[in-house]
């Protein structure tokens, strides 16, 4: 492990020394590809027996969605978990109070949202320091990440945590790169682009591909992509997660400072101890999770508004709705009647490919 760490440090030092211009773009692209490969080795070390994962980190996924609290020690993650979920996570005024992963559940708008209080991250977590690796591996499984920052401690914390998470292949508030990469058996590297490229040229693309031992591939760009975007697509193990920066302890700063914080994107100022703006935070979590509530309507009865079926924004067809209720339901499916904003008529007959919107009412008609 130490040799991999040393290699990573050498490459990072060399990247810091290298000037960024057109002549060095090729060389920097190569270094970035090497760095991504070494980071992957750190994340998944060769599986030879030895110690298991950290105790308390294999938390079973429950509820409709999962939100992780990430931050440096003593920024108020445990207090926030206690206030939001009523779960007890030990709180004290010294650092590293929480040592394992503590789950809690919030019931909000009919959805069960699992909230994980992860131990404090220290600088260098992506290189395996502290409990960093387990913390960030658990963060990868979350549908939304809350980065908890202390309003008194500087915002440089934000950059450090982002760097740790990016090093582990978590991309915050980003869309997957709009480029296609297809491997083939022969024909060399074929590089096409529909826009003018300022970051990538054929030489750099070839250098990055050869680092991954890929000598035949079709690559087409639909926007001005960087070397990092190409590496992300080749690696393929990146997770794109929405993220909210929760600035805690706002009762200890001035109003002018608070107004500055309020203008920043993806921010939510709160005070967990005094319970200020926790409703605003819940509303923001709901918005970022982008969940769809669908109500069921048994034949000849009123819709059940108490217990909605929760679907994710990417999987919300009638078929996904059926699978969420019972896996055998699709076999007996004839058609569905839908009331709501996803249809023109009330009700409307739809097939299983129909996409549902938030707060639709669905009645499933089965084959006889």
């Amino acid at each position: 492990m130490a040799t991999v760490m040393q290699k990573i440090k050498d490459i990072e030092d060399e990247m810091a020394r290298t000037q960024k211009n057109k002549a060095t773009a090729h060389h920097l692209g190569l270094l970035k590809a090497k760095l991504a490969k070494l980071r992957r080795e750190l994340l998944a070390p060769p599986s030879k027996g030895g110690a298991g994962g950290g105790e308390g980190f294999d938390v079973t996924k429950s509820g409709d969605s999962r939100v992780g609290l990430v931050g440096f020690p003593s920024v108020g993650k445990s207090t926030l978990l206690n206030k939001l979920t009523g779960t007890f996570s030990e709180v004290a005024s010294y650092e590293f109070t929480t040592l394992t992963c503590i789950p809690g559940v919030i019931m909000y708008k009919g959805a069960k949202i699992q909230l994980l209080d992860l131990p404090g991250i220290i600088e260098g977590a992506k290189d395996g320091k502290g409990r960093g690796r387990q913390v960030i591996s658990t963060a990868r499984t979350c549908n939304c990440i809350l980065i908890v920052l202390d309003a008194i401690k500087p915002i440089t914390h934000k950059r450090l945590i982002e760097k740790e998470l990016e090093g582990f292949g978590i991309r915050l508030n980003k869309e997957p790169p709009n480029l296609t990469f297809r491997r083939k058996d022969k024909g060399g590297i074929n590089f096409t682009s529909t826009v003018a490229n300022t970051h990538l040229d054929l030489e750099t693309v070839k250098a990055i591909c050869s680092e991954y031992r890929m000598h035949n591939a079709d690559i087409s760009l639909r926007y001005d992509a960087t070397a990092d975007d190409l590496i992300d697509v080749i690696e393929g193990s990146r997770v794109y997660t929405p993220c909210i920066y929760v600035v805690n302890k706002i009762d200890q700063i001035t109003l002018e400072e608070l107004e500055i914080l309020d203008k920043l994107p993806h921010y939510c100022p709160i005070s967990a101890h005094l319970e200020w703006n926790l409703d605003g935070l819940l509303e923001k979590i709901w918005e970022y999770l982008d969940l769809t509530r669908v109500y069921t309507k048994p034949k000849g009865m009123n819709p059940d508004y108490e217990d909605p079926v929760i679907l994710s924004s990417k999987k919300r067809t009638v078929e996904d709705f059926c699978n969420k209720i019972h896996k055998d339901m699709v076999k007996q499916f004839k058609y569905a009647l839908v009331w709501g904003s996803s249809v023109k008529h009330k009700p409307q007959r739809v097939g299983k490919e129909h996409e549902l919107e938030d707060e639709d009412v669905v009645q499933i008609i089965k084959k006889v």
Side-chain angles (χ1 to χ4, degrees), residues 267-299:
Y267 269 75
C268 183
I270 63 154
S271 168
H273 180 59
L274 298 173
E275 301 189 19
W276 290 353
N277 198 26
L278 294 186
D279 300 347
L281 175 62
L282 279 175
E283 191 55 52
K284 207 160 183 127
I285 292 173
W286 179 260
E287 181 193 327
Y288 277 56
L289 286 173
D290 198 11
L291 298 172
T292 304
R293 291 163 294 175
V294 180
Y295 302 110
T296 52
K297 183 187 181 306
K299 199 170 179 182

Side-chain angles (χ1 to χ4, degrees), residues 149-343:
L149 302 165
D150 193 327
I152 326 159
K153 295 181 184 173
I155 296 295
T156 44
H157 274 183
K158 166 181 179 275
R159 282 297 321 129
L160 289 170
I161 292 176
E162 281 176 341
K163 196 174 161 206
E164 301 295 325
L165 294 175
E166 298 250 323
F168 261 90
I170 299 173
R171 300 287 175 262
L172 303 173
N173 293 326
K174 281 186 188 169
E175 290 296 314
N178 190 3
L179 61 95
T180 39
F181 177 87
R182 205 172 70 244
R183 295 179 73 163
K184 51 187 187 177
D185 295 335
K186 55 180 186 286
I189 299 286
N190 181 20
F191 177 60
T192 55
S193 172
T194 53
V195 291
N197 282 96
T198 54
H199 303 292
L200 286 175
D201 55 9
L202 186 58
E203 286 306 304
T204 313
V205 170
K206 279 186 173 172
I208 291 171
C209 290
S210 68
E211 180 59 40
Y212 284 97
R213 298 197 174 90
M214 295 175 184
H215 304 294
N216 305 298
D218 287 334
I219 298 155
S220 64
L221 304 186
R222 296 185 197 82
Y223 76 114
D224 190 6
T226 60
D228 292 322
D229 293 336
L230 180 61
I231 292 167
D232 282 354
V233 171
I234 295 174
E235 282 273 345
S237 63
R238 303 292 183 242
V239 285
Y240 297 87
T241 312
C243 164
I244 303 170
Y245 302 104
V246 181
V247 184
N248 192 12
K249 306 186 186 175
I250 54 166
D251 49 311
Q252 300 175 9
I253 58 171
T254 62
L255 205 60
E256 288 77 17
E257 289 171 309
L258 184 59
E259 278 176 359
I260 295 168
L261 284 177
D262 208 37
K263 291 184 180 125
L264 300 167
H266 312 297
Y267 269 75
C268 183
I270 63 154
S271 168
H273 180 59
L274 298 173
E275 301 189 19
W276 290 353
N277 198 26
L278 294 186
D279 300 347
L281 175 62
L282 279 175
E283 191 55 52
K284 207 160 183 127
I285 292 173
W286 179 260
E287 181 193 327
Y288 277 56
L289 286 173
D290 198 11
L291 298 172
T292 304
R293 291 163 294 175
V294 180
Y295 302 110
T296 52
K297 183 187 181 306
K299 199 170 179 182
M301 288 161 72
N302 286 335
D304 177 11
Y305 290 117
E306 295 298 311
D307 192 14
V309 175
I310 307 288
L311 304 173
S312 77
S313 56
K314 294 180 182 68
K315 289 187 171 180
R316 54 178 192 197
T317 60
V318 175
E319 186 171 359
D320 297 319
F321 169 76
C322 292
N323 288 334
K324 190 90 192 227
I325 294 172
H326 197 281
K327 56 182 185 291
D328 290 343
M329 204 163 193
V330 176
K331 293 175 190 168
Q332 305 165 329
F333 180 85
K334 189 176 180 187
Y335 63 88
L337 292 173
V338 177
W339 291 257
S341 54
S342 66
V343 290

